[in-house]
Amino acid sequence: MLDILQQYWLMLLVGQYPNGPLGGLAMTLILAVCGLSLSFPLAILLAVARTSPYRWVARISGYTVNMIRGMPLLMLIFWAYFVLPKVTGHSISGFWTLVCALVVYESAYLSEVIRAGIEAIPKGQIEASRSLGVGYWTTLRKVILPQALFNVLPGMTSQFVSTIKETSLGYVISVNELTFAANQINNMVLTQPLQVFGILAIMYFIVCFSLSRAVGWLDRKIRRVRQMSPA
Amino acid sequence: MLESVYLWQLLNGMATTLTLFSVAWVMAFSLAMVLVVVRTLNLRICRWIVDAFVEYHRNVPLMVQVLFWYFGMPELLPEGFRSWLYAHNAELSLAAIALALGSSAYIAEDIRSGLRAIPGTQFEAARALGSSYLQTMRYVIVPQALRISTGPLISRALLLFKNTSVAMAIGVVELTYQAREIENETYRTFETFGAATVLYLCGSFLIMLIGMRIQARFALNRGAGHA
Amino acid sequence: MIKFDKVNKWYGDHHVLTDIDLHVRKGEVMVVCGPSGSGKSTMIRTINRLEEIQKGTILVDGQDIHAKGVNLNHLRGGIGFVFQQFNLFPHMSVLQNIMYSPVHVRKQGKQETRDLAMSLLERVGLAHKAEAYPGSLSGGQQQRVAIARALALKPPVMLFDEPTSALDPEMVGEVLQVMKALARDGMTMVCVTHEMGFAREVADRVVFMDAGQIIEVAAPDEFFGNPRHPRAQKFLADVRAH
Amino acid sequence: MIKFDKVNKWYGDHHVLTDIDLHVRKGEVMVVCGPSGSGKSTMIRTINRLEEIQKGTILVDGQDIHAKGVNLNHLRGGIGFVFQQFNLFPHMSVLQNIMYSPVHVRKQGKQETRDLAMSLLERVGLAHKAEAYPGSLSGGQQQRVAIARALALKPPVMLFDEPTSALDPEMVGEVLQVMKALARDGMTMVCVTHEMGFAREVADRVVFMDAGQIIEVAAPDEFFGNPRHPRAQKFLADVRAH
Amino acid sequence: DQLADIAARGTLVCGTLGTSQPFSFQDAATRTLVGYDVDVCKLVADKLGVGVEYKLLSVAARVPELNESRVDILAANLGHSPARAEQIAFSHAYYVSPQKLLVREDSGLETVEQVNGRRVGATKGSSSEREVKRILDKSSVIGYADSSATYLALQQKKIDAQVASELVLVRLLLQSPPTAPVAIVREPVFMEYWGLGMRKDEPAFVARVNEILDEAEQDGTAAALFEKWFGAETPYKLERSFKIAPIAE
Ligand SMILES: Nc1ncnc2c1ncn2[C@@H]1O[C@H](COP(=O)(O)OP(=O)(O)OP(=O)(O)O)[C@@H](O)[C@H]1O
Ligand SMILES: Nc1ncnc2c1ncn2[C@@H]1O[C@H](COP(=O)(O)OP(=O)(O)OP(=O)(O)O)[C@@H](O)[C@H]1O
Ligand SMILES: [Mg+2]
Ligand SMILES: [Mg+2]
């Protein structure tokens, strides 16, 4: 295991860079960050639509979310790979294809988490804000979302973690990320797949686990500041 | 569209996917229950073990877990049992185990948050009536926790159903495997993946429908105004 | 100041407000009581349109609140509302809670608003808690902050829906004291409450509701001393029995 | 029946019960009152070991409840406990709630238990709600079911921890009525409550607690009419103020 | 017409796998794309007088990418079969791959016929998997994610034989630890003819590519390329047993 690591660590970290395209762990992280930062606002929008007082808005967004939830990400990536260029008229790189598929998929899941948070806000909170003369959108922005998002922080974290893990499906469309790099190494080493995938597992674990821990720490800190009971 | 041979092949794959899903779900659910109970025992060592189990499964990609179970685990088994296993569809059973373990970590967490949503006073009320710890868990706490966590559990079932596709990495001939096979044989990529997508959607909607039924049947009316 | 004219409201088939006629004058303190489910909360909530009505009109300050073109947020800004469950925003400090509506509705400057908020906190006796979060306050303190928050837009009318019934008995006093001070300063108030002592001391009139109707309107001495309607007699007997 | 002897309890450094000595006789109704945080709940909960104590002994029916080999479930089965928040099981119907302890603790037959449960429901006036779920009942009704549930094992002692303080004022009456009937039937009862009327009518003695100590034990007329201790005087004044 | 488009663009877009040694893979030292397929693409581009641009494709994406016109030509382990030939046009065979069996040395298996009836592993979705199912009709064939997974399954006795191209098997044989020796069954199971893939509606382009390949065969360039990647200097030490020629249906 150590000899593999010694020989290929650069490839695992950055892929062919700087002689070729960036890849490996660096690419995985870039993908995850792009996927997350784009799906987050979209998920909020979807969640707000699903809790909207307009029945049809709620219904349409509900169908959309369930449709996406019913499809394996693999299939979604596949369709994005071929449909996106048709729609936009431009050829689109594997990287952006994967980002788009991830964003669509993750915002559906994330929106479910956020919706649960919004629905759990006591009605009195909304009434209190509205009775002070504050409008719907400001109430949403200043009262509902801050509380809802904070309350579902653990749920969102595990969604973030699965996004990181799901970038690994990028290898199907040859996006040069961590799993792809590991596959390449595996093809070169050929006879030690367990060791190669062991290294892969450890790398994912370190990244994901530190993320969860960091968010947990943040959560406790905010609770302390707000003098709320620990969750 | 696709000739009937291929369609038949896809349906075959779907059958395997469903088998894998149901077996893994039952195992995952039972194991999750054990995890939850062990975790509530409040022994430092138990909590530590369960937490490690959960963290491992949550932070390592499923694919890697499946590979580990197929290639790593059987090496620890005695020779005789191992060859028996390989002769009896080891791929399917080991994939089911890997999937079940992975899901059980999540299910256990879902149930645990369901447990936390039950006011502690419910526990006290049952104990004050003279029922034992186990009775209280069995008749009062767990039924409520399950009702509270139906929503997350349905999502979990859905994810498990879709995740069965990683089993193809170790040669389980399920839906995605079959689709790839047909695609490779005919190069008719769109038709094949289109049909597979439709099949997956059907399965998912079926699970959602059943879930909604269960949810409607067991909805917990905790009453207006009283937390 | 507030005028109900033949106000009716239904939840589906359920007739919760029937022909409500009522006139609350400027500076008047009106206490509303009646059995549970009689429609007290519903009635008081219609005044700032937290509940919609199906028939009749409600005038606030001479304006029909259901007229076309009424700015709902502006209307609500002019009516303070205090809830049974306090409903403070747990993610904001006490000061931020109070500054919330001036900043977001009136777009007032931060510094000026802060001064106003501090003076309101002074008034409810909680200036030392400005930086605390609601989670660390007792029920009575939370309700006093909620009153300060409702006062932040300087509304000419205050509505209270059972402001003390979620409180431990000994915290009731501190909240009532703040309310009494408000009444003495000439605030127009409508209070749903079962606190007889408070009603006797500061109410100008008491309204008794039952099954969605106003059954009796009388001065407190008269109402408590000599209720005319048998339902009111029974209710008073019930409340006093224990 | 129940005897406290130099009972002490700490939460960490916090001394919540200090040298409690008390004797509740068979058939006696004892009311416990005192300011919030004075340890009333803690004290009553030690009787069926919902709270553990660190020093002293508690005898129930002559038996030390902390003796080795005491069957905790058996002990608790012989003591009915009614909570402030009702704590009915929301996933069971009213009937199932009441049948819970006879079926699971005493392993009684279903049919026989059902008859018992129905007669208990009759007694609290809710026979027509047997199939309803707790979520659909009013607070008063829920508390009456909770009392019936606590009676299902025919306990010789009943403990009540503020059974009416989560209720709307007019539902208080219906619950107190059930409790009064119980008292009249000769049940041994310990009630934490602020309901003066109830205390005057049925209590044999009133216990006043403050800061974890029993400060005064007296007959209700004496206690309400002429409290000896200044803390008790202040407390009564506070409660009556509004 | 595609030839004109390529000329206008000045580059030939060549789809290749990037994960298949020694056809198309990242060189570990320089971490650049090299291999037999890569060189063949380069050859075609040079003869067309244009530059070459490589596009890495996954196995599932190669044919759609071609038919969607996102690449001009595929050099991506495309084994010929009649069903596949309905979807894309194949060039002349530029590589012929004998598909053989790898067995554990202690298993005593020596002929293809002996293996028939045993558990056989193959790379999932490969053409060898499909063909071996037809030829070894008594065996159960299990597909794994890649050849190293299949090899591991063989070592762990999950399967009795691994079917793959001779090339892959030679590499596996060379890297096998001496403690667990394996052997290649001499007789091939079948021969697979690899062609470059092009769109069916571009006959002129197909004809031009075939012309280029034939030329390369005649002037020895093709043989030199084979020597470079598979010959005596390489770990594989293969003999060139084929000539570039049309694939028989
Ligand atoms: N959202 C609703 N949907 C249907 N019925 C409702 C709703 N809100 C209230 N009601 C019904 O309207 C009636 C009046 O309710 P309201 O809350 O105004 O009573 P109340 O006098 O404030 O009672 P309480 O003293 O318990 O607060 C009740 O019968 C109640 O069941
Ligand atoms: N689990 C606990 N951990 C630490 N301190 C506690 C705990 N439960 C109660 N206390 C403290 O013990 C003291 C007595 O509490 P207890 O609930 O018995 O008071 P009470 O008289 O019942 O008050 P109330 O009228 O509010 O119900 C209080 O100071 C309280 O803060
Ligand atoms: Mg109300
Ligand atoms: Mg208490």
Side-chain angles (χ1 to χ4, degrees), chain E residues 101 103 108-121 131-141 160-163 185 187 189:
Chain E
L101 292 168
V103 294
L109 297 167
E110 277 166 1
T111 65
V112 174
E113 205 32 57
Q114 280 176 330
V115 174
N116 199 359
R118 301 301 196 88
R119 287 163 62 89
V120 178
E131 279 296 305
V132 84
K133 269 184 188 159
R134 194 172 55 76
I135 296 166
L136 299 180
D137 51 355
K138 293 203 282 286
S139 286
S140 67
V141 177
D160 299 309
Q162 170 175 11
V163 62
V185 174
E187 156 198 18
V189 184

Side-chain angles (χ1 to χ4, degrees), chain E residues 16-249:
Chain E
T16 178
L17 291 179
T19 51
S20 141
Q21 210 173 357
F23 295 96
S24 159
F25 64 103
Q26 322 286 344
D27 182 41
T30 63
R31 286 180 288 145
T32 51
L33 191 68
V34 293
Y36 181 69
D37 280 356
V38 173
D39 283 353
V40 170
C41 275
K42 182 97 178 53
L43 175 83
V44 172
D46 285 348
K47 288 284 170 71
L48 288 175
V50 294
V52 62
E53 178 190 320
Y54 297 104
K55 194 161 179 202
L56 294 187
L57 300 176
S58 69
V59 173
R62 6 174 228 193
V63 174
E65 285 272 345
L66 176 68
N67 283 335
E68 295 274 308
S69 303
R70 285 156 70 175
V71 297
D72 294 314
I73 191 165
L74 291 175
N77 299 24
L78 290 168
H80 177 273
S81 84
R84 290 169 169 185
E86 284 176 18
Q87 302 297 314
I88 58 170
F90 282 85
S91 73
H92 294 168
Y94 71 100
Y95 182 77
V96 177
S97 156
Q99 303 289 307
K100 295 190 171 178
L101 292 168
L102 186 72
V103 294
R104 287 184 304 277
E105 214 160 59
D106 59 9
S107 68
L109 297 167
E110 277 166 1
T111 65
V112 174
E113 205 32 57
Q114 280 176 330
V115 174
N116 199 359
R118 301 301 196 88
R119 287 163 62 89
V120 178
T123 300
K124 170 181 45 165
S126 66
S127 33
S128 39
E129 185 196 11
R130 178 171 40 88
E131 279 296 305
V132 84
K133 269 184 188 159
R134 194 172 55 76
I135 296 166
L136 299 180
D137 51 355
K138 293 203 282 286
S139 286
S140 67
V141 177
I142 299 160
Y144 294 99
D146 51 38
S147 47
S148 47
T150 319
Y151 173 79
L152 193 61
L154 178 74
Q155 287 291 13
Q156 295 186 348
K157 303 184 184 172
K158 291 184 168 77
I159 51 176
D160 299 309
Q162 170 175 11
V163 62
S165 68
E166 181 180 27
L167 202 66
V168 171
L169 297 187
V170 169
R171 282 185 59 213
L172 287 171
L173 190 71
L174 293 174
Q175 298 189 17
S176 285
T179 48
V182 288
I184 296 176
V185 174
R186 181 176 299 278
E187 156 198 18
V189 184
F190 66 100
M191 303 297 276
E192 190 177 74
Y193 298 87
W194 291 13
L196 300 173
M198 285 156 288
R199 283 189 289 285
K200 287 189 85 93
D201 54 4
E202 297 289 349
F205 182 52
V206 176
R208 180 77 185 98
V209 168
N210 281 335
E211 220 173 275
I212 293 170
L213 289 177
D214 287 342
E215 264 173 45
E217 178 65 40
Q218 271 145 32
D219 65 16
T221 338
L225 274 185
F226 185 92
E227 203 49 34
K228 173 178 173 194
W229 293 108
F230 309 104
E233 304 288 291
T234 68
Y236 311 108
K237 304 187 178 33
L238 296 185
E239 291 277 324
R240 191 165 187 252
S241 60
F242 66 92
K243 294 207 176 323
I244 290 180
I247 301 169
E249 281 292 310

Side-chain angles (χ1 to χ4, degrees), chain D residues 37 39-42 84 161-162 192:
Chain D
K40 308 179 294 295
S41 299
T42 309
Q84 176 176 3
D161 189 4
E162 308 206 30
V192 176

Side-chain angles (χ1 to χ4, degrees), chain C residues 136-189:
Chain C
S136 68
L137 301 185
S138 76
Q141 291 173 328
Q142 288 194 47
Q143 193 62 299
R144 279 144 67 197
V145 174
I147 295 175
R149 182 177 67 174
L151 288 171
L153 292 183
K154 307 205 175 78
V157 186
M158 289 281 287
L159 312 177
F160 295 82
D161 189 3
E162 307 206 30
T164 57
S165 56
L167 298 177
D168 281 332
E170 336 143 53
M171 294 176 180
V172 172
E174 62 195 47
V175 172
L176 290 180
Q177 213 164 330
V178 171
M179 290 170 63
K180 284 177 198 165
L182 264 182
R184 254 180 266 117
D185 293 352
M187 176 66 81
T188 312
M189 289 164 68

Side-chain angles (χ1 to χ4, degrees), chain A:
Chain A
M1 208 150 165
L2 275 179
D3 48 321
I4 297 178
L5 207 53
Q6 213 157 39
Q7 192 176 354
Y8 295 107
W9 62 274
L10 198 59
M11 187 142 173
L12 283 168
L13 285 185
V14 293
Q16 288 166 257
Y17 191 83
N19 302 347
L22 188 68
L25 182 62
M27 192 57 156
T28 291
L29 292 180
I30 292 174
L31 275 168
V33 169
C34 284
L36 288 177
S37 48
L38 293 175
S39 61
F40 191 57
L42 208 61
I44 291 180
L45 223 63
L46 268 174
V48 169
R50 284 201 79 179
T51 52
S52 138
Y54 300 103
R55 188 81 56 81
W56 60 273
V57 174
R59 193 165 303 162
I60 290 176
S61 47
Y63 288 144
T64 315
V65 167
N66 278 335
M67 188 80 169
I68 298 169
R69 288 208 309 155
M71 227 191 283
L73 178 57
L74 194 65
M75 296 287 162
L76 202 62
I77 291 175
F78 177 80
W79 291 115
Y81 192 81
F82 295 108
V83 170
L84 272 177
K86 283 241 163 86
V87 176
T88 58
H90 294 281
S91 136
I92 284 176
S93 68
F95 173 83
W96 286 110
T97 309
L98 181 60
V99 168
C100 286
L102 274 177
V103 165
V104 169
Y105 191 74
E106 293 304 329
S107 28
Y109 274 91
L110 204 53
S111 81
E112 285 291 281
V113 176
I114 296 175
R115 176 174 72 118
I118 292 179
E119 282 172 355
I121 299 293
K123 241 178 100 215
Q125 288 288 314
I126 301 162
E127 288 185 343
S129 173
R130 298 308 303 276
S131 74
L132 287 167
V134 177
Y136 175 77
W137 292 105
T138 310
T139 304
L140 197 65
R141 248 170 2 101
K142 296 288 174 184
V143 174
I144 303 177
L145 285 179
Q147 292 188 59
L149 293 179
F150 177 68
N151 290 341
V152 297
L153 209 50
M156 290 199 299
T157 316
S158 48
Q159 206 51 49
F160 292 167
V161 167
S162 50
T163 308
I164 295 178
K165 291 191 291 174
E166 269 149 6
T167 55
S168 68
L169 282 178
Y171 82 90
V172 216
I173 51 170
S174 298
V175 177
N176 233 313
E177 41 67 69
L178 184 54
T179 304
F180 187 88
N183 266 317
Q184 282 188 331
I185 293 168
N186 186 31
N187 273 317
M188 288 186 259
V189 179
L190 214 57
T191 47
Q192 298 178 307
L194 273 186
Q195 286 83 338
V196 174
F197 286 108
I199 293 173
L200 185 65
I202 293 170
M203 289 180 79
Y204 274 108
F205 186 88
I206 291 173
V207 172
C208 297
F209 189 72
S210 356
L211 177 70
S212 333
R213 280 299 141 115
V215 176
W217 174 82
L218 188 71
D219 183 88
R220 280 192 300 280
K221 192 176 154 111
I222 295 178
R223 272 176 201 282
R224 228 184 0 259
V225 169
R226 294 191 188 160
Q227 296 153 343
M228 295 163 35
S229 55

Side-chain angles (χ1 to χ4, degrees), chain A residues 123, chain C residues 11 14 16 34-43 51 84 161-162 192 194, chain D residues 168 170:
Chain A
K123 241 178 100 215
Chain C
Y11 279 122
H14 185 26
V16 282
S36 180
S38 57
K40 309 179 294 294
S41 298
T42 310
M43 182 181 85
E51 304 280 352
Q84 179 176 0
D161 189 3
E162 307 206 30
V192 176
H194 292 117
Chain D
D168 284 330
E170 346 137 47

